[in-house]
Amino acid sequence: MALTRLTSLAPRGGCALWLIALDAPLCPGDTAMLAPDERQRADRFVFAVDRQRFIAARSALREVLGRAVGSDPSRIGFDYGAAGKPQLRGAMHLPFNLSHSGPVGLLAVATDGPDAVGVDIELLRDVPDAMQLAQSTFDPHECAELGAIDVARRPAGFLAGWTRREAGLKAAGTGFSATHTPPPTGFAMGRSTVRWPGALQARGTFATIETFALPEVNAVASVARLRAAPDEPATALARRTAMQELA
């Protein structure tokens, strides 16, 4: 599938979603709409492809948020949390999150309220050391779940689980850290809710995570929302496994 600069997807998790073609030619005003700190960050990239993708992602983010709040994209201001998660500056509270993998970006913007949003995308690829990586990141029960997936399909399962974990951490605004141990999030496709300890500061103590395939870009992605109460039982749900949906 040939992506346009911004391709709207079906909503998930109470969020509007867009794919961003990060290698598409930049528009004349893309760099100009960035804030000085964003332009300085872009200039620090060593490789031109990384600079291009950063500018494309940030200008697309500004374009979408500007439309959502009725503002000139260049006038959008951001504040940043302790782990670097951006949020809109000022009184307007519109949760959003941005992720990228190679030449593809994924943007999620909340449409159903102020609950925090996290999103992650990974292009499907071989991960020969999936089990070793899992053992350093996931708990023993999750590692056993991954080990039960057929070897040929294990990389897809691992990447699905990685997006689930990362989306939850990004929603909580903590990222990977020794002081914030996330709960088990598993490797299955579909939607489930888990209790997320230590997330009161992010307006929620439960994380609802939805994981889905993006065959148009050969990727898997997850969207997480932190909520003050679960919108479904906080238990494992019967759902398709990663190897079934991503096969």
Side-chain angles (χ1 to χ4, degrees):
M1 173 183 178
L3 295 181
T4 58
R5 173 186 168 85
L6 276 166
T7 300
S8 180
L9 301 174
R12 291 179 182 268
C15 294
L17 298 176
W18 289 267
L19 283 172
I20 308 170
L22 300 179
D23 287 349
L26 294 174
C27 299
D30 284 346
T31 302
M33 78 168 67
L34 302 187
D37 64 303
E38 291 172 314
R39 291 197 291 271
Q40 290 169 7
R41 184 174 169 187
D43 288 341
R44 288 198 294 269
F45 285 104
V46 174
F47 299 107
V49 64
D50 296 324
R51 188 178 310 112
Q52 146 94 24
R53 290 174 179 176
F54 175 81
I55 294 171
R58 297 298 288 214
S59 59
L61 172 64
R62 285 177 168 277
E63 182 181 334
V64 169
L65 293 180
R67 257 188 262 146
V69 302
S71 173
D72 183 328
S74 66
R75 298 181 67 84
I76 296 287
F78 297 106
D79 291 321
Y80 295 88
K85 182 180 180 180
Q87 61 185 26
L88 283 175
R89 182 175 299 152
M92 176 63 70
H93 185 73
L94 180 66
F96 66 90
N97 201 229
L98 177 65
S99 177
H100 66 86
S101 182
V104 181
L106 180 64
L107 171 62
V109 179
T111 58
D112 69 347
D115 296 309
V117 175
V119 67
D120 194 57
I121 183 172
E122 290 289 343
L123 296 180
L124 293 175
R125 58 192 184 275
D126 189 26
V127 187
D129 55 349
M131 287 305 303
Q132 289 85 349
L133 290 170
Q135 288 163 4
S136 66
T137 307
F138 299 95
D139 75 15
H141 295 291
E142 290 175 298
C143 291
E145 179 185 349
L146 180 63
I149 298 176
D150 179 82
V151 172
R153 296 174 177 175
R154 192 172 294 157
F158 172 81
L159 291 169
W162 184 269
T163 67
R164 292 179 64 79
R165 178 62 52 88
E166 182 75 6
L169 288 166
K170 291 175 73 177
T174 59
F176 285 96
S177 78
T179 57
H180 294 90
T181 301
T185 47
F187 297 90
M189 304 296 289
R191 186 169 109 162
S192 64
T193 297
V194 297
R195 186 179 292 275
W196 200 278
L200 286 172
Q201 73 279 10
R203 296 183 57 88
T205 56
F206 293 87
T208 297
I209 305 174
E210 184 170 356
T211 304
F212 49 96
L214 289 168
E216 55 267 64
V217 290
N218 194 35
V220 63
S222 293
V223 175
R225 302 294 302 279
L226 288 189
R227 303 187 187 279
D231 55 6
E232 60 187 59
T235 57
L237 303 179
R239 55 202 188 273
R240 288 175 293 176
T241 65
M243 59 183 178
Q244 289 172 325
E245 182 156 332
L246 295 174

